[in-house]
Amino acid sequence: MTARIGVLVFPGTNCEHDVVKAIGSITADEGPASCAELVWHGTKSLTHLDAVVLPGGFAHGDYLRPGAIARFSDVMGALARFAADGGPVVGICNGFQVLTEAGLLPGALQKNAGLRFVCTSVSVRVCTKRTVLTEEVEEGRALLLPVNHFEGNYTCDRATLDRLRGEDRIVFRYEQNPNGSLDDIAGVCNEAGNVVGLMPHPERSCDPLTGALDGVPLLRSLLVAAERRASLPA
Amino acid sequence: MEVRLRPGISDPQGATVERALPALGFDGVSDVRVGKSIRFFVDAPDEEAARAMSEAVTDRLLANPVIEEAEVRVR
């Protein structure tokens, strides 16, 4: 059964085609068990999908705060239900910001320390494989992934940080912190591990042309999770 | 209303402004915090109702309680 991966598009999203193309290249190499499709933010049901990606960009222009307006798009109610039902959800960069604003992930992304827009490749350590984005990756592995953001400085209160650490929910840490992020956090997940947000862009590290292939094992994990969901009895 | 970062949340904009001031000859300025001022008109029967609605708007949209706090003023 072919898994369907929905890539959400808000007004101002700009990485949706990169995600679709990266998933397409992985499935082309390994057999077409998954296909990715664009899903407009006005959609009110996601039940036909087996995984959802919130790609990078500037949803609703990032007005007020990144993700603050996107949180009220029609699709977000359906996304909350999809996530509560165990559906794999991954937010990349602006998508991560949307997930925190929507309350699907804890904490918030602040302006980078020093007010620097960072646009470079960073080494990111995989801290846990208990998530839909890392289940096929060895724990402790360092991945070279591009970052490209102004508001990636993860922050949360002390109690939340203690909980994230205690529940093994810090998914990625920067080896050299580019943005002032608390505890070098580059990505976190929800309690069940089916909702993951991260600032680096795995989809931009899936083609030798762009310098590295370290995003492939992450997206492959997502495809495995999506295919598992697709094979569940309806 | 005024939306600002909670105490204890680092404020890179405030820190950058603060670092720039001595170069301009303004010494002795500390604890600079940068926030947002948001103004709108509310059609409401009285001040209390306008305040209640403005606070609801703030809680739901204008401030992110994880990092921000807001002060609502009605006039």
Side-chain angles (χ1 to χ4, degrees), chain A residues 152-172:
Chain A
N153 180 354
Y154 185 84
T155 189
C156 61
D157 61 28
R158 183 76 217 183
T160 305
L161 179 63
D162 288 344
R163 206 169 68 240
L164 290 175
R165 284 174 174 162
E167 295 173 357
D168 194 22
R169 288 168 58 188
I170 298 171
V171 186
F172 302 100

Side-chain angles (χ1 to χ4, degrees), chain A residues 122-128 141-143 161 164-166 168-178 181-188 198 200:
Chain A
V122 294
S123 182
V124 172
R125 185 82 58 187
V126 177
C127 303
T128 179
R141 181 169 167 191
L143 303 173
L161 179 63
L164 290 175
R165 284 174 174 162
D168 194 22
R169 288 168 58 188
I170 298 171
V171 186
F172 302 100
R173 280 195 177 93
Y174 301 110
E175 296 215 286
Q176 290 196 312
N177 194 329
S181 170
L182 182 68
D183 201 21
D184 302 327
I185 289 173
V188 298
L198 74 166

Side-chain angles (χ1 to χ4, degrees), chain A residues 114-135:
Chain A
L115 291 184
R116 278 168 68 93
F117 187 98
V118 296
C119 180
T120 183
S121 285
V122 294
S123 182
V124 172
R125 185 82 58 187
V126 177
C127 303
T128 179
K129 58 186 297 169
R130 64 181 288 268
T131 82
V132 292
L133 194 61
T134 55
E135 60 181 64

Side-chain angles (χ1 to χ4, degrees), chain A residues 135-148:
Chain A
E135 60 181 64
E136 297 284 301
V137 190
E138 314 91 86
E139 259 174 44
R141 181 169 167 191
L143 303 173
L144 186 67
L145 298 172
V147 287
N148 181 225

Side-chain angles (χ1 to χ4, degrees), chain A residues 13 32 34-35 78 86 96 98-99 107 135 138 141 223 227:
Chain A
T13 297
S34 315
C35 70
F96 185 14
V98 173
L99 290 175
E135 60 181 64
E138 314 91 86
R141 181 169 167 191
L223 299 185
E227 284 158 22

Side-chain angles (χ1 to χ4, degrees), chain A residues 52-99:
Chain A
V52 176
V53 177
L54 290 83
F58 301 84
H60 296 274
D62 272 1
Y63 292 130
L64 200 57
R65 300 178 303 276
I69 313 282
R71 176 188 157 200
F72 296 104
S73 279
D74 280 342
V75 76
M76 294 307 288
L79 184 70
R81 290 190 295 277
F82 184 80
D85 186 46
V89 176
V90 172
I92 301 166
C93 197
N94 190 231
F96 185 14
Q97 296 162 340
V98 173
L99 290 175

